[in-house]
């Protein structure tokens, strides 16, 4: 630290080294992918017999290793460091129990490489935290109770991912257990006979074998058979089931998706648990604090030393409002809406006509030049620090020391602001032009037609649409592998969620309050917190106890304001009538229920999986 209490360029340069994100997000997944491809090629070229002694727990453990490697490949972009541990577990498993002996050296090499990178990264984390303790005394952010609860509360995304993944894991394990029990029961009563291959199917996956005058269809997994060849067949004397003695059925294939789903669930649970623990420590014990400069850098911000000319970046972060601190909740900003009790309708509408279309939390720093901030809680890259900017606390996403981090191309890190919210505007039209702060993004004509159709689709149609996902995977089941099924189900779930979300109204009147429809979660405001509504022909402004909401309806893309109502003025009359007739309930509190569109998306996902399983 410099004598002035600021981080110097030398301090940052000493703290900054870390395993590059590209190594974790691209290098390790690419290594695992190459090893997996080699393993698949060698396994498909191996025509060695598979006998009953070769099928057992070893095969199930090997299949679990394959599932963990597959999960690590997919998780590398979302949580690269957790994915590295999962990939190491899979590589070690496959090195101990390889599908073919020729793959053992490959997986041993991959396991050593991945574990080496993990240990090096862990060492760098320890070093960074040790250096951060010398920056100065710990400081805890001064946040209101609502914001503290929001930061410590479980997030919907990880809970949804872990829940769906655990269900998928249970289903796959059930299939494996059922197939294994059925195979054991068959083999317990089967008799070994000699038969002759009559014909092979076109894909070589099955053979018709004549045994004691009966023609039986026998699955062929690895052997290369020809018509007229004599083979030993295990036959059920009471049924038609049969299998080759040298090519037995291994039910462990279902363990692969089960292990992959377990990897997803474990990563989501551990990631959320780690985030909440870090937030609890930051709020109770505080974290290392240091003064740095914040400079806009594209869609993110670069934190560097206040010393001019240092040019060494501490981190690159994305920001979102957390909440007000001290007297900053009344900051007199031009963005703040007029007071609901003392402002005329004309003043409210004049302000709302210039309100930006984004959630105000996304406009954290309209700053276009360098500003000094206090960063708290940045002990190591990967932490979620809190920044004090002009008297207001702001949460940063997991920072990167590299502005070319692959994940920064598509990930955005911010949290929904739970207090001090002054405007959250729902997109309702094209605005006045590209330079107008109220303008919404331009849409391609095809996208405009799709959005218009989606916003005119009743919710019951999107619910019934889950049947379409079921029929699609049912029809295509013969052409889909389990990886394709999971991908198709994921696409179906995303489509169902987005379609139903666009068709939902912006507001829903309920006996216990006014429901503000959101993407993943809705906001239910008790009626005593709904203070006032103002409307003209193009917009509706609703005042709540902690801010206001602006919904625009100025073109044909505008979402429905209330069920069956698009006109802002008529919607205002309906809302005022509902507010006036609502019985006061002092015990009612704001709630954030899971959005109905999330459940519809989950229904589409499950329907797509069921279509494949039923087929």
């Amino acid at each position: 630290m410099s004598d002035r209490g600021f981080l110097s360029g030398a301090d940052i340069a000493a703290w900054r080294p870390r395993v590059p994100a590209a190594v974790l997000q691209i290098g390790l997944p690419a290594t695992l992918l190459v090893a997996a491809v080699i393993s698949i090629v060698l396994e498909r070229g191996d025509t060695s017999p598979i006998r009953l002694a070769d099928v057992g727990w070893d095969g199930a453990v090997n299949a679990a290793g394959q599932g963990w490697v597959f999960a690590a490949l997919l998780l590398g972009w979302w949580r690269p460091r957790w994915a590295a541990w999962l990939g190491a577990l899979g590589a070690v498993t496959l090195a101990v129990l390889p599908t073919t002996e020729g793959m053992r050296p490959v997986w041993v090499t991959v396991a050593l490489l991945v574990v080496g990178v993990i240990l090096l990264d862990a060492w760098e984390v320890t070093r960074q935290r040790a250096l951060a303790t010398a920056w100065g005394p710990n400081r805890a952010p001064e946040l209101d109770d609502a914001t503290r609860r929001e930061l410590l509360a479980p997030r919907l995304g990880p809970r949804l991912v872990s829940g769906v993944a655990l269900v998928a894991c249970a289903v796959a394990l059930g299939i494996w257990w059922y197939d294994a029990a059925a195979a054991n029961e068959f083999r317990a009563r089967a008799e070994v006979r000699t038969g002759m291959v009559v014909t092979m199917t076109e894909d070589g996956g099955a053979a018709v074998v004549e045994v004691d005058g009966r023609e039986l269809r026998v699955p062929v997994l690895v052997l290369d058979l020809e018509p007229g060849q004599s083979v030993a067949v295990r036959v059920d004397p009471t049924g038609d089931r049969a299998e080759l003695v040298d090519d037995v059925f291994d039910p462990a294939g279902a363990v692969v998706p089960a292990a992959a789903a377990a990897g997803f669930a474990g990563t989501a649970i551990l990631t959320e648990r780690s985030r909440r623990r870090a937030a609890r420590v930051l709020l109770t014990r505080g974290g290392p604090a240091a003064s740095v400069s914040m400079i806009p850098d594209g869609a993110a911000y670069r934190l560097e030393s206040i010393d001019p000319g240092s040019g060494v970046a501490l981190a690159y972060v994305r920001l979102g409002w957390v909440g007000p601190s001290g007297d900053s909740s009344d900051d007199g900003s031009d963005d703040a809406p007029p007071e609901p009790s003392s402002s005329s309708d004309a003043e409210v509408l004049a302000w709302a006509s210039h309100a930006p279309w984004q959630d105000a939390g996304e406009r954290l720093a309209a700053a276009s030049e360098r500003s000094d901030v206090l960063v708290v809680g940045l002990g190591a890259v990967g932490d979620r620090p809190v920044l004090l900017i002009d008297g207001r606390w702001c949460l940063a996403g997991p920072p990167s020391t590299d502005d070319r981090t692959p994940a920064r191309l598509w990930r955005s890190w911010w949290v929904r602001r739970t207090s001090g919210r002054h405007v959250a505007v729902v997109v309702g039209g094209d605005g006045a032009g590209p330079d107008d702060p109220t303008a919404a993004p331009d849409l391609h004509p095809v996208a405009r037609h799709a959005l218009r159709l989606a916003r005119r689709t009743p919710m019951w149609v999107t619910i019934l649409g889950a049947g379409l996902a079921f029929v699609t995977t049912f029809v295509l089941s013969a052409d889909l592998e389990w990886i394709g099924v999971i991908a198709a189900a994921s696409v179906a779930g995303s489509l169902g969620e987005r379609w139903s979300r666009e068709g939902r109204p912006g507001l829903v009147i309920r006996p216990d309050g006014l429901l503000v429809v959101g993407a993943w979660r809705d906001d239910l405001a008790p009626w005593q917190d709904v203070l006032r509504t103002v409307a003209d022909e193009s917009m509706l402004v609703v005042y709540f106890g902690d801010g206001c909401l602006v919904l625009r309806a100025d073109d044909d893309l505008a979402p429905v304001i209330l069920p069956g109502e698009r006109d802002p003025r008529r919607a205002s009359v309906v809302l005022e009538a509902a507010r006036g007739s609502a019985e006061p309930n002092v015990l009612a509190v704001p709630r954030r229920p899971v959005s109905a569109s999330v459940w519809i998306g989950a229904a589409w996902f499950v329907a797509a999986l069921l279509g494949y399983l039923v087929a």
Side-chain angles (χ1 to χ4, degrees):
M1 292 286 290
S2 67
D3 295 337
R4 294 173 295 165
F6 301 131
L7 281 185
S8 65
D11 295 327
I12 295 176
W15 177 88
R16 195 173 184 272
R18 188 71 180 269
V19 174
V23 172
L24 295 171
Q25 292 181 302
I26 295 179
L28 292 187
T31 302
L32 292 172
L33 180 61
V34 170
V37 170
I38 295 175
S39 178
I40 292 173
V41 171
L42 291 179
E43 185 177 357
R44 289 189 174 181
D46 185 7
T47 58
S48 302
I50 300 179
R51 298 185 174 88
L52 196 57
D54 300 324
V55 178
W57 286 104
D58 288 356
V61 175
N62 177 275
Q66 296 178 43
W68 292 327
V69 169
F70 177 73
L73 290 174
L74 298 181
L75 290 171
W77 280 76
W78 180 42
R79 289 291 182 265
R81 290 180 173 84
W82 289 102
W85 282 103
L86 197 59
L89 177 61
V92 170
T93 302
L94 295 175
V96 175
L97 296 171
T99 53
T100 59
E101 285 300 322
M103 281 302 300
R104 188 184 299 274
V106 175
W107 285 116
V108 169
T109 303
V110 171
L112 291 175
L113 177 62
V114 176
V115 171
V117 172
I118 290 174
L119 294 178
L120 177 60
D121 189 64
W123 164 255
E124 294 291 356
V125 171
T126 303
R127 185 189 60 80
Q128 284 187 330
R129 295 200 186 284
L131 292 175
T133 58
W135 290 354
N138 281 9
R139 176 170 177 175
E142 302 164 3
L143 305 177
D144 58 279
D145 293 339
T147 301
R148 288 173 175 266
R149 287 194 297 271
E150 179 73 11
L151 293 179
L152 295 174
R155 293 177 300 174
L156 174 63
R159 294 169 68 184
L160 186 63
V161 170
S162 59
V164 172
L166 287 174
V167 170
C169 177
V171 170
L173 286 177
I175 294 174
W176 168 65
W177 188 264
Y178 174 82
D179 286 346
N184 291 334
E185 182 181 354
F186 156 71
R187 289 159 185 161
R189 62 174 182 268
E191 300 175 355
V192 177
R193 305 288 178 85
T194 300
M196 180 177 295
V197 178
V198 177
T199 183
M200 298 288 297
T201 58
E202 292 183 0
D203 60 359
V208 176
V209 180
E210 183 179 353
V211 180
D212 297 338
R214 290 194 305 165
E215 290 190 352
L216 301 174
R217 185 182 177 89
V218 181
V220 178
L221 304 177
V222 298
L223 295 182
D224 187 10
L225 302 180
E226 296 179 358
Q229 183 176 345
S230 179
V231 292
V233 184
R234 188 175 287 109
V235 182
D236 185 352
T238 62
D240 294 331
R241 181 168 180 174
E243 70 177 3
L244 298 173
V245 172
D246 292 335
D247 199 350
V248 300
F249 167 69
D250 187 356
V255 177
V256 177
F264 270 90
T267 299
I269 292 171
L270 293 175
T271 298
E272 184 65 3
R273 182 174 180 271
S274 176
R275 182 198 67 83
R276 295 179 65 193
R277 183 176 64 249
R280 186 163 51 249
V281 170
L282 181 62
L283 294 176
T284 56
R285 306 178 193 172
S291 295
V292 295
S293 286
M294 183 180 75
I295 304 171
D297 190 301
Y301 295 88
R302 184 173 71 255
L303 304 180
E304 63 179 40
S305 172
I306 293 179
D307 292 338
S310 63
V312 181
L314 175 69
Y316 292 81
V317 296
R318 291 294 296 264
L319 306 176
W321 285 116
V322 171
S325 175
D327 297 331
S328 61
S329 58
D330 185 15
D331 56 8
S333 169
D334 292 338
D335 286 335
E339 288 296 325
S341 58
S342 59
S343 303
S344 65
D345 289 358
E347 291 175 326
V348 173
L349 294 172
W351 164 82
S353 65
H354 293 90
W357 69 269
Q358 304 101 320
D359 185 347
E362 298 179 26
R363 295 183 301 106
L364 159 73
S368 58
E369 48 187 44
R370 189 185 192 102
S371 57
D372 295 342
V373 301
L374 180 71
V375 58
V376 177
L378 182 57
V381 172
D383 294 341
R384 287 177 176 259
V386 177
L387 281 73
L388 183 61
I389 306 172
D390 295 332
R392 305 195 76 168
W393 290 100
C394 175
L395 181 69
S400 166
T401 56
D402 185 359
D403 60 341
R404 297 176 299 278
T405 302
R408 287 170 48 78
L409 299 177
W410 62 279
R411 276 197 308 213
S412 299
W413 298 97
W414 58 73
V415 294
R416 177 186 177 275
R417 200 165 42 159
T418 59
S419 61
R421 179 185 65 188
H422 55 74
V423 60
V425 180
V426 177
V427 179
D430 290 335
D435 296 328
D436 185 346
T438 68
D442 292 333
L443 293 177
H444 189 276
V446 175
R448 288 182 62 87
H449 287 302
L451 183 59
R452 185 183 296 108
L453 176 62
R455 287 183 172 173
R456 283 160 173 73
T457 303
M459 180 175 289
W460 64 267
V461 174
T462 60
I463 295 175
L464 295 180
L468 179 62
F470 176 89
V471 172
T472 301
T473 53
F474 182 85
V475 173
L476 299 178
S477 59
D479 301 323
L480 290 177
E481 298 291 339
W482 65 267
I483 296 179
V485 174
I486 294 177
S490 300
V491 171
S494 300
L495 178 61
E497 187 276 331
R498 183 59 186 269
W499 187 12
S500 61
R501 186 206 315 170
E502 293 296 346
R504 297 186 68 195
L507 302 171
V508 178
I509 294 175
R510 292 177 38 165
D512 52 347
L514 181 62
L515 188 74
V516 181
V517 173
W520 295 96
R521 306 188 80 161
D522 300 334
D523 288 275
L524 181 63
W527 283 113
Q528 61 264 29
D529 287 346
V530 183
L531 307 180
R532 178 185 180 185
T533 64
V534 180
D536 63 8
E537 67 279 359
S538 62
M539 72 182 70
L540 171 70
V541 183
V542 183
Y543 274 91
F544 297 93
D546 64 346
C548 70
L549 180 76
V550 180
L551 293 101
R552 297 208 171 100
D554 49 7
D555 79 345
D556 61 345
L557 282 184
V560 177
I561 297 177
L562 290 172
E565 186 58 75
R566 295 179 180 274
D567 184 82
R569 288 176 173 170
R570 290 198 296 266
S572 178
V573 173
V574 174
L575 288 174
E576 287 295 338
R579 188 170 69 90
S581 61
E583 296 183 1
N585 182 4
V586 296
L587 299 179
V589 295
R591 292 189 290 113
R592 300 194 66 205
V594 176
S595 176
S597 59
V598 172
W599 298 115
I600 293 176
W604 279 54
F605 179 86
V606 173
L609 289 180
L610 288 177
Y612 178 78
L613 295 176
V614 170

